[in-house]
Amino acid sequence: MASLSVPSAPGINTPSTGTQRTRGTSAMDFKSATTGVAAKAMRNELNRMVAEVKDPLQKKVFDAEMQSFFSLFNRYLVEKAKHETIQWDKIRPLAPALVPNYSDLPEVTNDKSILDKVVVLKLNGGLGTTMGLSGAPKSAIEVRDGMTFLDLSVRQIEHLNEVNKVNVPFILMNSFNTDDETQRIIQKYANHNIQILTFNQSRFPRVGKESNLPIPRTATSSKSEWYPPGHGDIFDALSNSGLLDKLIEAGKEYMFVSNVDNLGADVDLKILKHLVDSQAEFIMELTDKTKADVKGGTLIDYEGQVRLLEIAQVPSEHVEDFKSIRKFQYFNTNSVYIHLPALKRVMESEGLELEIIVNNKVADDGTPVIQLETAIGAAIKHFKNAHGINVPRSRFLPVKACSDLLLITSDLYSLEHGKLVMNQKRMFSSVPVVKLGDTFKKLGNFKKRFRTIPNILELDHLTVSGDVWFGRGVTLRGTVIIVANEGSRIDLPDGSILENKLVSGNVSIIDH
């Protein structure tokens, strides 16, 4: 087994050197020494867990994961000791040339020569827990016409292959939480015109916030003691699985990556052609911010380098600046295009050092823990000619909550070959703002409370709070606010039409 090692910090004497530590060391020296001790303790725990794995193949996989985790953990300790933060006065919005508008890209007819080199990857590591589906992959949620996220993605790729006479592979990056169920589900696509490949992102140990030690004691400890370390892990996982090399050997050069719950993210030839023509090794789709997106990450110019800036990296005194739509016009949709040979070059030469996102959690027994995660977009700084593209909102249709589900199951959209298309009768290009209260949070409650999905073609804003039930064929227009006070219940009769109305707990309807 390759032993994990702790990089020595400059100027720090460890006990093994035989040098006696002098009194009166600075706070930085103390932090650095503490960092070395914590790293060594973590290294020993990880080595012990790896050594206890008996199966050679499982041991190799687990060892690679722990090597990746230890590298991330050690970097976290070093950065924490230095207390380095981003310098706000060095941040600049990207020059317009680095965020061309999608509408300005030249139209492209079917280009088989490019599509033959393309693979599509969906990030499929998340569960549907926030929508009340414990244990099931989010991609298994039915979202439209009885079809799941996976069904729609498969239909999109299948249509692409049929129309262009190509064989674009469809790849799923699963997590240890979603892999078993996903493998069972994808069996139903065996007779479809699509090649489906899967691999798993890494499994990292949760870390005790106070102890700085792994929560799991063995490689087979409970699932709840491990976590998938964010979509930035895609690079290590793709490489460790051997899939990156296999794709390149098969002549694949371009990979389109997006979240499995983004129903607007499909293969776009205009963007692919731009990727090739501009010789960009990495492109990120951005879209215009609205008030609902002010917390979303954005691309910036940082000392002449294109970087992803997430709200977690922003000093507290500048959070409002970060949210400003005037200063930062776009936000990251998490749909990216990557040149695979460039990815292999970067990983083999300089490696990828992605900004660490510290996610504070509480374990089942109440122990405060941390999860060290990374984001895929943070890799943009490592690639040549990397930039963003400002795409229309139609390419960003995520389903994060039941409020989003109301929109995509409504008459606002129709389905075309697995892709959602905005109803041409909608007078505005913007999507209504929908805020459903806690009683609609779980998918089961959402389905019960809407006998049918309301007609919202002319809706601008909807807020619903409390014990509210919708009958069949309800129409909502303009701004509609429905609030059932505690102990009250509101039932909207079949065929109700609400236009610019406030409905309160006593079911009185007044103009709004």
Side-chain angles (χ1 to χ4, degrees):
M1 178 199 127
S3 181
L4 299 163
S5 59
V6 187
S8 298
I12 298 172
N13 297 317
T14 63
S16 60
T17 62
T19 306
Q20 186 176 359
R21 182 172 295 281
T22 58
R23 292 182 181 274
T25 54
S26 68
M28 186 63 212
D29 287 338
F30 175 78
K31 286 180 179 176
S32 297
T34 305
T35 295
V37 170
K40 186 175 181 180
M42 175 62 78
R43 177 201 62 191
N44 291 339
E45 283 295 299
L46 298 178
N47 281 339
R48 179 189 56 76
M49 285 198 286
V50 171
E52 290 174 357
V53 178
K54 303 304 179 189
D55 181 89
L57 183 58
Q58 291 178 2
K59 189 171 193 170
K60 183 180 179 182
V61 172
F62 184 62
D63 186 29
E65 288 180 337
M66 294 307 97
Q67 294 278 0
S68 296
F69 168 74
F70 183 73
S71 174
L72 189 67
F73 176 76
N74 195 64
R75 192 155 57 86
Y76 157 74
L77 291 177
V78 171
E79 290 176 6
K80 187 179 178 184
K82 290 180 178 177
H83 197 63
E84 289 181 345
T85 57
I86 197 159
Q87 296 182 43
W88 192 257
D89 58 351
K90 293 184 177 179
I91 292 174
R92 300 284 182 272
L94 282 187
L98 292 174
V99 193
N101 271 307
Y102 176 85
S103 58
D104 293 335
L105 301 182
E107 292 297 331
V108 179
T109 54
N110 295 350
D111 193 330
K112 190 175 184 297
S113 64
I114 295 179
L115 288 174
D116 278 335
K117 300 175 183 178
V118 170
V119 297
V120 174
L121 188 149
K122 293 285 186 180
L123 303 170
N124 186 46
L127 296 170
T129 45
T130 56
M131 296 172 70
L133 288 182
S134 58
K138 189 175 184 182
S139 56
I141 295 175
E142 285 190 9
V143 288
R144 181 90 194 199
D145 301 350
M147 300 180 77
T148 66
F149 287 111
L150 267 184
D151 292 336
L152 295 175
S153 295
V154 167
R155 184 67 197 105
Q156 286 178 16
I157 306 296
E158 203 172 26
H159 177 68
L160 180 76
N161 287 339
E162 288 170 358
V163 169
N164 297 283
K165 304 293 187 291
V166 291
N167 181 24
V168 173
F170 180 46
I171 306 173
L172 293 169
M173 183 173 83
N174 303 329
S175 70
F176 63 89
N177 287 320
T178 63
D179 187 56
D180 288 347
E181 184 64 12
T182 299
Q183 297 298 342
R184 189 185 68 81
I185 291 170
I186 62 177
Q187 292 177 32
K188 68 179 181 179
Y189 307 123
N191 295 325
H192 288 241
N193 179 27
I194 188 169
Q195 179 188 12
I196 300 180
L197 306 169
T198 68
F199 69 103
N200 276 15
Q201 67 183 116
S202 304
R203 185 184 65 143
F204 283 3
R206 284 177 145 187
V207 177
K209 192 170 184 178
E210 301 301 326
S211 68
N212 270 335
L213 291 172
I215 294 296
R217 298 289 296 156
T218 70
T220 55
S221 290
S222 167
K223 270 188 177 184
S224 64
E225 298 180 359
W226 304 84
Y227 70 97
H231 37 66
D233 179 61
I234 183 175
F235 307 108
D236 275 340
L238 198 62
S239 180
N240 290 341
S241 69
L243 189 53
L244 176 59
D245 287 336
K246 289 178 182 175
L247 292 173
I248 293 173
E249 287 167 8
K252 303 302 180 182
E253 293 185 27
Y254 310 107
M255 182 168 69
F256 173 51
V257 184
S258 63
N259 294 337
V260 75
D261 65 0
N262 181 1
L263 295 176
D266 65 341
V267 174
D268 189 285
L269 268 171
K270 280 175 63 170
I271 300 177
L272 281 170
K273 187 70 164 58
H274 173 77
L275 176 77
V276 175
D277 292 346
S278 64
Q279 296 185 315
E281 296 180 346
F282 192 109
I283 283 179
M284 177 186 291
E285 289 191 29
L286 308 168
T287 197
D288 290 344
K289 266 189 185 180
T290 68
K291 289 182 179 179
D293 314 307
V294 292
K295 293 183 179 180
T298 190
L299 288 185
I300 58 167
D301 180 319
Y302 193 76
E303 298 183 308
Q305 186 181 55
V306 178
R307 295 265 294 267
L308 174 67
L309 179 66
E310 299 278 10
I311 194 167
Q313 300 167 257
V314 177
S316 56
E317 65 271 23
H318 292 293
V319 167
E320 292 308 311
D321 293 335
F322 174 80
K323 292 180 179 179
S324 168
I325 295 175
R326 289 180 181 176
K327 184 164 186 177
F328 300 112
Q329 182 181 347
Y330 325 103
F331 75 98
N332 170 26
T333 66
N334 218 45
S335 296
V336 301
Y337 302 77
I338 302 166
H339 185 240
L340 292 175
L343 173 58
K344 184 172 175 61
R345 182 199 74 233
V346 169
M347 294 198 71
E348 289 182 346
S349 55
E350 62 193 270
L352 290 163
E353 195 166 284
L354 311 183
E355 284 75 16
I356 298 170
I357 301 164
V358 182
N359 198 347
N360 290 287
K361 298 278 188 177
V362 178
D364 293 342
D365 63 359
T367 303
V369 298
I370 59 171
Q371 298 179 179
L372 304 179
E373 303 174 8
T374 56
I376 186 174
I380 194 168
K381 64 185 179 182
H382 290 283
F383 293 90
K384 297 174 184 176
N385 300 322
H387 59 275
I389 290 183
N390 183 20
V391 300
R393 192 74 182 205
S394 59
R395 290 193 57 77
F396 183 65
L397 297 173
V399 181
K400 303 297 182 188
C402 288
S403 298
D404 302 317
L405 197 58
L406 174 63
L407 291 169
I408 66 161
T409 53
S410 73
D411 56 346
L412 275 179
Y413 297 101
S414 59
L415 267 183
E416 289 185 10
H417 310 296
K419 185 179 181 182
L420 288 181
V421 179
M422 176 73 81
N423 192 327
Q424 291 184 347
K425 293 179 181 177
R426 170 80 174 169
M427 295 178 66
F428 314 103
S429 59
S430 61
V431 175
V433 175
V434 174
K435 298 178 180 178
L436 300 180
D438 288 345
T439 52
F440 292 83
K441 192 173 181 181
K442 304 301 183 186
L443 189 61
N445 292 336
F446 172 87
K447 289 180 176 179
K448 284 191 294 187
R449 289 177 178 274
F450 287 105
R451 293 193 69 186
T452 61
I453 298 299
N455 303 311
I456 60 172
L457 206 54
E458 297 176 49
L459 180 70
D460 297 322
H461 181 107
L462 172 67
T463 294
V464 183
S465 178
D467 189 11
V468 180
W469 299 75
F470 289 76
R472 296 180 181 277
V474 173
T475 299
L476 307 173
R477 298 173 182 154
T479 296
V480 179
I481 300 173
I482 307 169
V483 181
N485 298 324
E486 191 172 348
S488 301
R489 170 174 167 150
I490 294 177
D491 289 273
L492 296 178
D494 294 354
S496 299
I497 299 175
L498 301 181
E499 182 171 357
N500 296 323
K501 290 290 189 279
L502 167 64
V503 183
S504 65
N506 59 7
V507 202
S508 61
I509 299 180
I510 58 176
D511 285 332
H512 176 74

